[in-house]
Amino acid sequence: MCWRCFSNSNISHPEAPLEALPGASSRRGFLNHWGAGLGLAALVHADAQAQVDVGQSSSMRKLIPAESLEQSARQQYRQTLSEANSKGALAPDDYPQLKRLRAIANQLIPFTSQWNPDARKWKWEVNLIGSKQLNAWCMPGGKIAFYTGILDQLQLTDDEVAMIMGHEMAHALREHARERLAKSKATSMGLSVASQLLGLGQLGDVAANVGTQLLTLKYSRDDETEADLVGLEIAARGGFKPEASVQLWKKMLGATGGGKGQPSFLSTHPSGNNRIQELEANLPKVAHLYEQARQNPAGTQLN
Ligand SMILES: [Zn+2]
């Protein structure tokens, strides 16, 4: 997961060394938008009602204009890709692992807008970066990156990749970064939530230059749980086996020493076991979505 979702001793810094990808010479033209998932409403069949219960998004987030934040995210995304590209660590479009990631994203994107109607307008992008980090993230506005480390070290199946991708998409859809920034700004200004909401309007300047903050924000445990459940549902609707979410976290626990020793991602995040229990409790809620998707894969036949 994004290192903030999954911070541990392996991931001490978001800017871990990049590693050149075999067969991936520096590529040009990678800035093309990859715009799958447009005009797909018709493909999203019945039962659009959310099955997992995560409540409403925080209204605090509205203090930060979504557009400014998304623009800032776009800039940061370009910069990250550009840096990787200059080191031969950005996977080209025909790189098999990248094609696989994009195919999985195509299956999930049709089921994102029910969590955030604005996502219909997002220009989703998925890229793969060469690095040993167990890392993946989705910036506001749908800019996704996976690191080769998480795919290779955990030997992820497609179902497991879909769970990670759904989780990261959920952070963006539920606007957790926007919420975190709004809350930290309100706190630093010494203002109450009420005075912010009633008097000051939007804090456009906060979103203008967040830059690398987007790569270092830490989400709350509640955000993480929410992302787990929303991601689980999106992946199930996309035709990915819900049980893979549990398998994924077991692998994560194995890869990070089961929480023994310090530091561990378990010290700052919901414990792996709690996470697994929460996911297991929610499997029955999404089982029928997975079955429906398997029987009628209309939403999965996307370019
Ligand atoms: Zn997370």
Side-chain angles (χ1 to χ4, degrees), residues 44-99:
V44 180
H45 34 271
D47 201 4
Q49 190 78 28
Q51 301 298 299
V52 298
D53 182 12
V54 292
Q56 294 293 313
S57 289
S58 161
S59 56
M60 277 294 283
R61 74 194 196 288
K62 292 179 182 165
L63 293 170
I64 306 275
E67 261 180 36
S68 309
L69 184 58
E70 285 165 22
Q71 187 182 346
S72 200
R74 278 197 296 278
Q75 288 168 359
Q76 183 61 40
Y77 193 66
R78 292 286 157 255
Q79 195 180 321
T80 303
L81 296 187
S82 183
E83 216 176 283
N85 191 44
S86 69
K87 292 173 183 164
L90 184 65
D93 290 335
D94 61 353
Y95 200 76
Q97 288 278 45
L98 178 57
K99 287 167 80 174

Side-chain angles (χ1 to χ4, degrees), residues 1-6 136 164 167-168 170-171 176 219-220 223-225 227-228 249 269 275:
M1 334 302 276
C2 47
W3 79 274
R4 57 204 176 213
C5 304
F6 185 60
I164 292 178
H167 173 106
E168 299 305 336
H171 278 309
H176 290 156
Y219 296 133
S220 70
D223 289 347
E224 291 301 325
T225 301
D228 278 348
W249 278 101
H269 290 76
R275 213 157 188 166

Side-chain angles (χ1 to χ4, degrees), residues 3 32 95 100 123 127 131 139 148 166 197 207 221 268 292:
W3 79 274
N32 294 339
Y95 200 76
R100 175 184 175 224
K123 291 186 168 63
N127 278 286
S131 167
M139 285 185 184
T148 50
L197 290 171
R221 290 179 176 224
T268 51
Q292 276 173 21

Side-chain angles (χ1 to χ4, degrees), residues 34-194:
W34 173 73
L38 300 175
L40 300 166
L43 294 174
V44 180
H45 34 271
D47 201 4
Q49 190 78 28
Q51 301 298 299
V52 298
D53 182 12
V54 292
Q56 294 293 313
S57 289
S58 161
S59 56
M60 277 294 283
R61 74 194 196 288
K62 292 179 182 165
L63 293 170
I64 306 275
E67 261 180 36
S68 309
L69 184 58
E70 285 165 22
Q71 187 182 346
S72 200
R74 278 197 296 278
Q75 288 168 359
Q76 183 61 40
Y77 193 66
R78 292 286 157 255
Q79 195 180 321
T80 303
L81 296 187
S82 183
E83 216 176 283
N85 191 44
S86 69
K87 292 173 183 164
L90 184 65
D93 290 335
D94 61 353
Y95 200 76
Q97 288 278 45
L98 178 57
K99 287 167 80 174
R100 175 184 175 224
L101 290 173
R102 289 178 172 174
I104 292 168
N106 275 342
Q107 288 184 239
L108 303 186
I109 288 167
F111 306 100
T112 53
S113 61
Q114 84 176 90
W115 295 101
N116 184 337
D118 288 346
R120 285 195 187 90
K121 294 178 288 184
W122 289 2
K123 291 186 168 63
W124 291 93
E125 291 184 64
V126 179
N127 278 286
L128 175 65
I129 292 171
S131 167
K132 283 200 168 66
Q133 281 189 70
L134 300 187
N135 199 2
W137 40 258
C138 178
M139 285 185 184
K143 307 302 187 194
I144 297 170
F146 269 70
Y147 291 64
T148 50
I150 199 164
L151 298 177
D152 297 342
Q153 289 182 45
L154 299 186
Q155 292 287 302
L156 298 175
T157 65
D158 286 358
D159 292 311
E160 291 162 353
V161 168
M163 293 302 154
I164 292 178
M165 199 180 284
H167 173 106
E168 299 305 336
M169 285 174 159
H171 278 309
L173 293 165
R174 298 286 286 185
E175 300 184 297
H176 290 156
R178 194 179 170 199
E179 183 186 341
R180 285 297 125 215
L181 288 168
K183 284 184 176 166
S184 72
K185 185 63 180 177
T187 304
S188 71
M189 291 173 76
L191 297 170
S192 71
V193 171

